[in-house]
Amino acid sequence: MIKALKKLQTIFYCIYRINWIKFFKLYNKNAKNVLWFYPFYREHFFTQSIEREFGAIYSFIKNNQSFKIVCSKKIGKIKDSNVFFFSTQHYNEHKFVNYTQILHYISKQLEEQNNKVYPTSGEALYWENKIYMHQKFKELNINQPNTVIIDRNTFNEESVIPLAFPFLIKEPHSCSSLGLYKVNNEEEFKQKIFGENQLLKKNGELILQELINMRSDMRITLVGDEICLHYWRINKQKEWRPTATGYGSDVDFISFPEKWRTHLINECKKFNLTSLGADITFDNNDQDSLPIFLEVSPFYQPNPAVDLTSINVPYGVYKKQFKLKNSWDIKFVDIIFELQDKIMVKYF
């Protein structure tokens, strides 16, 4: 019930934010600016996000850009246009393990039809594609944890384990701390990848990564070379665990390691992404050491800043609550609209 109320609140607030008089003035079925809204399916009501699509409409209107909406799977008919669409696993109707390639394929085909696309095919490669991401980290000389890629064709139960325990196993196509496992010894490692879960067989490739001694990481959100949002996620436990807010982490929206601001912007610009969310940490939580990049993605879920003293519950719990006043969902829509407008301005 709460999930349904939160979803309805989000939809109604998105509708409220749109200037519908200007919407009908600027909407043109012959417009070159095309917003592709993947068909909304009833069974995906609770999982299909629409905030970014509404944010794009908001930005078209704010910037007096004529546009049209395509709500059909037949996006391949579009040529010589500016096409905007957003990531969702619902594109992957055939349920491939590597669902990220679907987004890249769509972007690439649209570009070959003389469209200017957001996301570009290059940007789409980063979407929940951790092997590609870590390979780019290495290519671009980005400071990252020691990372090794193994594949099922060359790695078996007799192979030498390339990292010292404990370390992390990452599935290549995952998000929000899903597909992330800590292994403490050889028995746990082999059980995870060869045992009941068959992680290596299922995925084809896996990422093995050094476990950084950290109890917090920082998410920074950039559009172009501007850091638009930042916050720390702080693990209050003595032992390592994912810092996602769903695990009960504290959130700090105020602190920022200013000495590294220019460095972080310059490192992020290497990816050539219109916008990105990057997860950063420091070994032993020492902010005098070089920042370590954990992950980066052109698609991310920002957490809006709130006065944590006024909510009296962990941030992760607050996110799941339905509220008419001080609603997380309302704040989330506001920040998505702001970021989408910055992205659209950067695009044009």
Side-chain angles (χ1 to χ4, degrees):
M1 182 64 177
I2 290 177
K3 206 171 184 180
L5 288 172
K6 285 168 66 67
K7 187 72 172 183
L8 290 171
Q9 184 183 51
T10 297
I11 293 172
F12 284 127
Y13 186 62
C14 285
I15 293 171
Y16 168 77
R17 286 289 312 266
I18 300 300
N19 183 331
W20 291 100
I21 294 175
K22 289 193 70 176
F23 175 96
F24 289 110
K25 286 182 178 179
L26 291 169
Y27 193 87
N28 183 344
K29 66 179 182 179
N30 296 315
K32 291 297 184 181
N33 294 320
V34 178
L35 173 63
W36 183 33
F37 182 38
Y38 201 71
F40 194 93
Y41 294 111
R42 183 174 58 189
E43 63 268 28
H44 297 150
F45 179 76
F46 294 114
T47 59
Q48 187 162 336
S49 175
I50 59 169
E51 297 89 352
R52 287 171 175 81
E53 282 84 358
F54 273 104
I57 294 170
Y58 167 83
S59 186
F60 283 135
I61 293 170
K62 182 179 176 182
N63 294 286
N64 292 309
Q65 295 281 341
S66 64
F67 67 97
K68 67 179 177 181
I69 299 172
V70 174
C71 188
S72 163
K73 295 180 183 179
K74 298 178 180 178
I75 193 64
K77 294 182 177 181
I78 302 297
K79 299 178 181 179
D80 307 312
S81 299
N82 301 317
V83 183
F84 300 83
F85 66 105
F86 301 98
S87 65
T88 169
Q89 290 192 29
H90 303 317
Y91 295 128
N92 186 22
E93 295 180 348
H94 304 291
K95 306 305 178 186
F96 292 111
V97 173
N98 184 0
Y99 56 85
T100 65
Q101 279 294 324
I102 305 297
L103 196 74
H104 171 69
Y105 175 81
I106 292 170
S107 293
K108 187 68 174 176
Q109 294 302 308
L110 286 169
E111 287 169 345
E112 290 182 0
Q113 294 178 179
N114 201 35
N115 294 296
K116 184 179 179 184
V117 182
Y118 177 81
T120 67
S121 57
E123 290 176 315
L125 284 171
Y126 281 92
W127 176 51
E128 296 178 17
N129 188 350
K130 297 186 191 321
I131 289 179
Y132 178 81
M133 177 193 71
H134 284 297
Q135 289 172 338
K136 292 300 288 187
F137 280 2
K138 183 176 181 180
E139 176 187 325
L140 298 171
N141 198 29
I142 302 293
N143 189 34
Q144 65 173 323
N146 186 18
T147 301
V148 178
I149 312 298
I150 62 172
D151 71 77
R152 63 187 173 203
N153 296 318
T154 59
F155 196 89
N156 57 53
E157 295 192 53
E158 306 303 320
S159 299
V160 175
I161 299 172
L163 294 177
F165 293 102
F167 60 82
L168 300 177
I169 300 173
K170 290 182 176 181
E171 295 186 73
H173 309 294
S174 57
C175 63
S176 302
S177 298
L178 300 174
L180 177 64
Y181 313 92
K182 177 187 174 185
V183 288
N184 296 295
N185 52 55
E186 184 174 350
E187 181 180 355
E188 288 184 11
F189 172 71
K190 289 187 175 180
Q191 178 60 31
K192 281 291 182 188
I193 71 168
F194 298 119
E196 183 178 349
N197 292 331
Q198 291 282 301
L199 290 180
L200 189 56
K201 181 179 180 181
K202 180 180 79 172
N203 290 279
E205 295 178 290
L206 289 172
I207 300 155
L208 311 184
Q209 189 170 81
E210 170 192 9
L211 182 64
I212 300 297
N213 182 26
M214 51 170 272
R215 293 299 176 271
S216 62
D217 65 7
M218 180 177 60
R219 164 67 60 83
I220 58 174
T221 301
L222 289 87
V223 178
D225 57 2
E226 177 190 359
I227 296 178
C228 304
L229 182 68
H230 60 81
Y231 53 88
W232 288 97
R233 298 170 294 200
I234 304 163
N235 172 16
K236 298 179 292 183
Q237 307 301 314
K238 291 182 179 180
E239 296 297 320
W240 177 92
R241 71 178 183 185
T243 57
T245 56
Y247 288 86
S249 295
D250 284 344
V251 184
D252 172 7
F253 293 96
I254 299 173
S255 304
F256 188 85
E258 287 295 339
K259 67 179 289 183
W260 295 110
R261 181 180 292 271
T262 300
H263 171 81
L264 292 172
I265 291 171
N266 288 338
E267 292 296 277
C268 288
K269 286 168 68 174
K270 292 179 180 179
F271 300 111
N272 196 31
L273 298 172
T274 306
S275 178
L276 62 86
D279 294 337
I280 312 296
T281 194
F282 296 90
D283 195 17
N284 298 311
N285 297 317
D286 178 12
Q287 293 187 24
D288 288 327
S289 64
L290 188 66
I292 300 169
F293 277 71
L294 301 176
E295 294 194 358
V296 65
S297 177
F299 305 107
Y300 46 84
Q301 178 176 296
N303 277 316
V306 297
D307 179 4
L308 297 175
T309 61
S310 67
I311 62 175
N312 298 319
V313 293
Y315 191 89
V317 174
Y318 165 67
K319 286 174 66 172
K320 296 177 181 178
Q321 294 177 333
F322 172 73
K323 291 177 175 289
L324 293 175
K325 184 179 180 181
N326 199 27
S327 163
W328 183 89
D329 300 278
I330 297 297
K331 295 177 186 293
F332 180 71
V333 170
D334 284 339
I335 200 167
I336 286 292
F337 275 41
E338 179 183 343
L339 287 170
Q340 276 310 126
D341 187 49
K342 290 179 180 292
I343 290 170
M344 299 286 271
V345 169
K346 174 71 176 174
Y347 175 92
F348 283 111

